[in-house]
Amino acid sequence: MKLVCMASSVAAPLIGLVDFFSPPANATPIGRWLGFGAPCLGSLNSLTMLWLCFRLEPRRLIDMAPAFQVLQGFFISVYYHASPIALRDASRGWSPLVVWLIVFPLLVPNTRRRVLIATLATAAMDVVGMMIHVVAGAPLPTLAKFGRSFLPVAVSSVLAIVLSRIIHALNQEVKRARELGSYQLVRAIGRGGMGEVWQAQHRLLARPAAIKLIRPDASGGISSDTLARFEREAQATAALCSPHTVQVYDFGITEEGAFYYVMELLSGMDADTLVRRHGPMPPERVVHVLAQVCGSLEEAHERDLVHRDIKPANIFVCRYGLELDFVKVLDFGLVKSLGVAAEAGATAVGVVAGTPEYMAPEVARGERTFDRRADLYSLGCVAYRLLSGKPVFDSQSPIDYLIDHVRSVPIRPSGRTGLAIPAALEDLVMECLEKDPARRPQTAGELARRLRALELPPWTHERAREWWAAAAAASPDPSEEPTRSLRNSTGRTVARAG
């Protein structure tokens, strides 16, 4: 609407000025002034509508659009007929009303009924404009000349109605394609191996959300492995109640066969992005983050669920209500249910699923009997990255990472960075990185208690607020990409062992 108003408000007075100083042949004096005044009034009409575009809601503007179309059509018709048909030696060509009739409903879509009424009323303005000049002294055109003049307008009216119905139908299809249950898709956040992630809005509650979506492929299907992992992620996440696990609102299948689940939309950034942008975290902040991750894992482990893909990209550090540095654990797509026979076939023999940089040795070896302590090894890798800004091993390929996790002894984080790291914290991290699961902390709850028992300065709300304020000053907005970790989690690495 704004574009249409701006274009017509500029073009109309220019056309009027040209016709005023170079009037059509045999134009009457009154017709000359009408030919100049009508475009000026049309420009005023466009400027008024443009002003309303910045003042009114879109729904109100759509309600007013037909009236604007008809009134502008009236001014166009009065301008065009300023050169009387009966006195014209040569035709001025097709009326600009033809262009207006076709273009307006395409650029400013509306309901079918409104488009039909507005188009017919605008076409009738061709006759009204002609009769105004007849009343002003121009001779009445013959029926043949009237027919030749009105025929293009009649044809363009029919064409406009047909095209608008096609556009309306396409818009409805697009709208339906962007609706999932009670949610309206807003914009794509990311795409990856597990499908798409969209920012969405609940149509009634106006609640923002993130939707993970798997659409059927070109053959109209979804692989059984992809679907199984997707369903497992949705069901496992929905079963967890920890405030540090991302919350799932809904799960379903669209009419087109696409699978989706709806989760909360978070404001902040994942730990991987945080370290890459701002460098290693202070030790006390690392403890603050890890303890919250343990809260999520402790509940999952109590339900015999192993996450299998703990990494910085799946740890979201967010602003949650009034709380800062509130942690959410994401992406349970590789979750393993301990003791369930069906899980044994979830991954092919010789293939290990996960992220090699953060994979426990027993997982890297392709063992089927690993347990919750594999997540604690991965969490140790995360702690190493957050403290030093570097991965545990500087390997060159995914296979090299797997070999290093199985065979190599990592260097202590303090040996990789010039930052001071408390020895007790470093010892605990190295304990998490033990090759033998029996030498690691045995539960997430135990690890959380030992983290909180470390004698470190507290990471307070005030310190977190200062950090977020500094981060906002250093970049446009640290939360400019909500659910960034959801974007990263749409794809994952699968390596072949052996």
Side-chain angles (χ1 to χ4, degrees), residues 6-35:
M6 286 189 289
S8 61
S9 63
V10 173
L14 292 178
I15 294 173
L17 285 172
V18 170
D19 267 20
F20 184 75
F21 291 104
S22 299
N26 299 323
T28 63
I30 295 179
R32 180 178 178 182
W33 283 103
L34 287 174

Side-chain angles (χ1 to χ4, degrees), residues 312-388:
N314 284 338
I315 296 172
F316 201 90
V317 183
C318 62
R319 294 178 290 187
Y320 199 69
L322 298 179
E323 297 191 50
L324 300 174
D325 274 9
F326 194 87
V327 172
K328 290 279 187 175
V329 176
L330 310 167
D331 196 355
F332 282 75
L334 293 181
V335 67
K336 174 184 174 68
S337 182
L338 300 178
V340 178
E343 289 291 335
T347 305
V349 176
V351 175
V352 289
T355 305
E357 295 93 320
Y358 303 93
M359 193 175 293
E362 59 270 29
V363 180
R365 288 192 295 265
E367 296 180 6
R368 297 300 183 92
T369 57
F370 65 87
D371 57 24
R372 56 184 63 88
R373 292 171 294 183
D375 281 345
L376 302 186
Y377 181 94
S378 299
L379 191 56
C381 295
V382 170
Y384 196 105
R385 175 70 190 280
L386 301 185
L387 288 168
S388 66

Side-chain angles (χ1 to χ4, degrees), residues 209-480:
I211 292 183
K212 183 173 269 191
L213 172 69
I214 295 183
R215 298 186 188 276
D217 55 27
S219 63
I222 299 174
S223 71
S224 58
D225 180 65
T226 298
L227 181 57
R229 289 183 176 180
F230 186 76
E231 290 180 334
R232 186 164 59 247
E233 177 180 5
Q235 293 167 0
T237 309
L240 300 175
C241 302
S242 169
H244 298 294
T245 301
V246 65
Q247 299 299 298
V248 170
Y249 299 146
D250 198 5
F251 175 80
I253 306 174
T254 68
E255 294 180 357
E256 294 76 21
F259 288 79
Y260 70 93
Y261 76 83
V262 186
M263 55 193 143
E264 60 184 328
L265 186 70
L266 304 174
S267 175
M269 69 181 83
D270 61 77
D272 182 65
T273 301
L274 193 153
V275 172
R276 283 191 289 104
R277 289 186 182 180
H278 305 283
M281 295 183 185
E284 54 271 26
R285 191 182 191 190
V286 173
V287 170
H288 179 74
V289 170
L290 296 179
Q292 294 179 77
V293 176
C294 287
S296 172
L297 292 179
E298 185 175 13
E299 184 195 14
H301 294 168
E302 286 292 328
R303 295 175 179 265
D304 288 333
L305 298 175
V306 181
H307 189 286
R308 289 207 294 176
D309 201 21
I310 293 296
K311 59 184 178 181
N314 284 338
I315 296 172
F316 201 90
V317 183
C318 62
R319 294 178 290 187
Y320 199 69
L322 298 179
E323 297 191 50
L324 300 174
D325 274 9
F326 194 87
V327 172
K328 290 279 187 175
V329 176
L330 310 167
D331 196 355
F332 282 75
L334 293 181
V335 67
K336 174 184 174 68
S337 182
L338 300 178
V340 178
E343 289 291 335
T347 305
V349 176
V351 175
V352 289
T355 305
E357 295 93 320
Y358 303 93
M359 193 175 293
E362 59 270 29
V363 180
R365 288 192 295 265
E367 296 180 6
R368 297 300 183 92
T369 57
F370 65 87
D371 57 24
R372 56 184 63 88
R373 292 171 294 183
D375 281 345
L376 302 186
Y377 181 94
S378 299
L379 191 56
C381 295
V382 170
Y384 196 105
R385 175 70 190 280
L386 301 185
L387 288 168
S388 66
K390 303 176 185 297
V392 176
F393 301 109
D394 287 328
S395 307
Q396 301 301 312
S397 69
I399 295 299
D400 290 336
Y401 273 114
L402 299 183
I403 294 173
D404 283 334
H405 281 302
V406 172
R407 300 177 180 175
S408 302
V409 177
I411 301 172
R412 293 173 71 87
S414 58
R416 305 282 298 281
T417 179
L419 300 174
I421 300 176
L425 174 58
E426 193 172 44
D427 290 341
L428 185 54
V429 171
M430 297 304 294
E431 187 177 331
C432 290
L433 296 177
E434 287 285 351
K435 309 297 182 188
D436 182 1
R439 302 182 64 180
R440 302 173 199 156
Q442 298 300 290
T443 67
E446 175 195 341
L447 179 56
R449 288 190 295 272
R450 294 177 64 180
L451 285 168
R452 295 190 179 98
L454 295 173
E455 296 182 357
L456 299 179
W459 181 255
T460 63
H461 180 82
E462 289 71 23
R463 293 184 66 185
R465 182 172 56 190
E466 291 174 2
W467 186 91
W468 284 98
S475 61
D477 186 356
S479 63
E480 61 188 353

Side-chain angles (χ1 to χ4, degrees), residues 96-132:
L97 188 61
V98 170
V99 178
W100 181 251
L101 279 167
I102 296 176
V103 170
F104 187 85
L106 297 182
L107 295 181
V108 187
N110 215 316
T111 63
R112 293 182 179 182
R113 182 171 178 272
R114 288 178 178 175
V115 169
L116 176 63
I117 295 174
T119 299
L120 295 179
T122 303
M125 291 302 104
D126 187 58
V127 178
V128 174
M130 178 189 300
M131 295 310 298
I132 286 177

